[in-house]
Amino acid sequence: MKRLIACLLLIVLTAGYPAALAQEGPNPIPLVAKEALSPTPEGIYHYMLICLDQSEYAMRDTWVSNIRDKKWDTNTDGLILVTVNQNEGKVKLTSFIRDMLVLRPDGEYGRINNFLYANPTTGTGGWAWKNEKNDYEAIQALIDTVNSHFDLKIEKFIVMDFTQVQRIVDAVGGVDVELTDREARYLFRSLPLGSRETEPQLLEGSRGGVYHLSGTAAVIYMRIRKIETRPFLHADGTVHTDNQDYGRTYRDRVVLTTIAESLKDITLEQAGKLLDVIIANTLYTNMTSEDFASALSMAMALRGAPVENIRMPADGTKYWESGYANMATKEIDFLENREVLHDFLFGFAVVDDE
């Protein structure tokens, strides 16, 4: 009888236990107010590259029209911050995983890649637009969110889709990438039979190695998510592979780094032509012609400069899986990652208080 009473008491006391453990909301995110953001040190310039997960917005007018008509149905799966650090003579790439949980300016939590996507049935996921005055309101909200979460002052951005990335890679003559056996098999299956999009040509049974990839092959490589990368040196000093979103962000950085390294001997005339290709394949940007000219000047001055990269969340920092609001997301320790990112981007730079 005592055992029965004890069991009943245990059941009563623990009846609400699972519900008590269920996550009612994500951990608080320590945001930095816009007016309190740390100033960018002199000699350092940020440019956010935003790549849409679809290629159907090839025409800029259609893209802008879709913004006005609220017809978004795509994700910003490619999010890479390009930082030019003239103080150190380096170019630095920071990629952000697509399922990072953030607090949007409208007060709602969501994945960092969902600003342009809204579920037409539930109305959830995307940026809650207040008006239609600004064509790039959702993009600016994304930039503001990155700034408030990582204490940055990013102002300039470029938006493109993967078709346009493909054209830009072709404009630089393709990229050399070291593939694993599984990556080689994946590309072979993904490319049209007999395709000449790689050199050497990928065939049935091709093994891993260094391949020259066209724009088409490079984009397919960048989008690989369910295959592990080759082992590489991580920011925490360990050598291991990455997969899922971590692997995808690594491949994005590989292609961008390879492009930068291939342009070390580019002439001013060639750089001007490449810039024309980039501008022609930009869906939307807030950069002026003067901004592009300044970026071109810095690129020429830093030809052959080291290209360093990091991922947010960084290796060795705390981040964990979260199922908040029925979304597959990752919560991260923003304070810890903010410190790592600032050390990476700014190094010994001194900020002039004004």
Side-chain angles (χ1 to χ4, degrees), residues 30-43:
L31 303 181
V32 180
K34 189 172 184 178
E35 61 274 12
L37 292 173
S38 300
T40 303
E42 185 177 352

Side-chain angles (χ1 to χ4, degrees), residues 65-66 82 106 141 176 185 187 195 198 205 234 255 263 270 287 297 304 337:
S65 173
N66 280 336
V82 179
D106 61 1
D176 292 329
R185 290 196 296 270
L187 259 67
S195 170
T198 67
H234 287 62
V255 171
L263 300 177
Q270 291 170 331
M287 292 179 63
S297 177
N337 278 277

Side-chain angles (χ1 to χ4, degrees), residues 230-278:
R230 64 182 179 84
F232 66 95
L233 179 63
H234 287 62
D236 61 1
T238 63
V239 176
H240 58 271
T241 62
D242 271 347
N243 60 12
Q244 298 298 325
D245 286 337
Y246 303 114
R248 180 177 281 183
T249 59
Y250 166 74
R251 293 182 178 99
D252 290 345
R253 297 194 304 273
V254 165
V255 171
L256 286 179
T257 301
T258 304
I259 289 175
E261 292 174 347
S262 71
L263 300 177
K264 61 183 179 180
D265 297 320
I266 194 172
T267 66
L268 182 59
E269 181 181 3
Q270 291 170 331
K273 291 180 179 179
L274 177 58
L275 181 58
D276 289 340
V277 172
I278 294 173

Side-chain angles (χ1 to χ4, degrees), residues 46-49 81 143 153-158 285-288 291:
H46 297 305
Y47 305 92
M48 182 66 84
L49 303 183
L81 176 64
I143 298 297
K153 275 196 172 180
I154 304 166
E155 296 178 347
K156 305 302 179 182
F157 62 78
I158 296 176
T285 182
N286 64 350
M287 292 179 63
T288 65
D291 291 331

Side-chain angles (χ1 to χ4, degrees), residues 303-321:
R303 282 175 300 174
V307 179
E308 300 179 352
N309 61 77
I310 196 172
R311 180 198 70 225
M312 289 287 107
D315 292 311
T317 63
K318 293 185 287 295
Y319 50 92
W320 55 96
E321 302 289 338

Side-chain angles (χ1 to χ4, degrees), residues 79-81 93-101 112 146 149-150 152 235 245-246 249-250 253 309-315 317-319 330-345:
L79 194 61
I80 296 183
L81 176 64
L93 306 178
T94 305
S95 56
F96 301 82
I97 61 170
R98 65 175 188 158
D99 57 353
M100 181 187 301
L101 188 68
I112 199 170
V146 173
H149 285 59
F150 292 96
L152 297 174
D245 286 337
Y246 303 114
T249 59
Y250 166 74
R253 297 194 304 273
N309 61 77
I310 196 172
R311 180 198 70 225
M312 289 287 107
D315 292 311
T317 63
K318 293 185 287 295
Y319 50 92
K330 290 184 179 65
E331 294 186 56
I332 81 171
D333 185 325
F334 282 100
L335 288 178
E336 188 178 21
N337 278 277
R338 191 182 299 166
E339 182 177 355
V340 172
L341 182 57
H342 280 225
D343 286 344
F344 170 73
L345 293 178

Side-chain angles (χ1 to χ4, degrees), residues 8 17 26 32 46 109 142 156 165 221 282 302 311 322 336:
L8 290 174
Y17 188 62
V32 180
H46 297 305
Y109 287 94
L142 171 58
K156 305 302 179 182
V165 173
Y221 167 78
T282 295
L302 290 176
R311 180 198 70 225
S322 173
E336 188 178 21

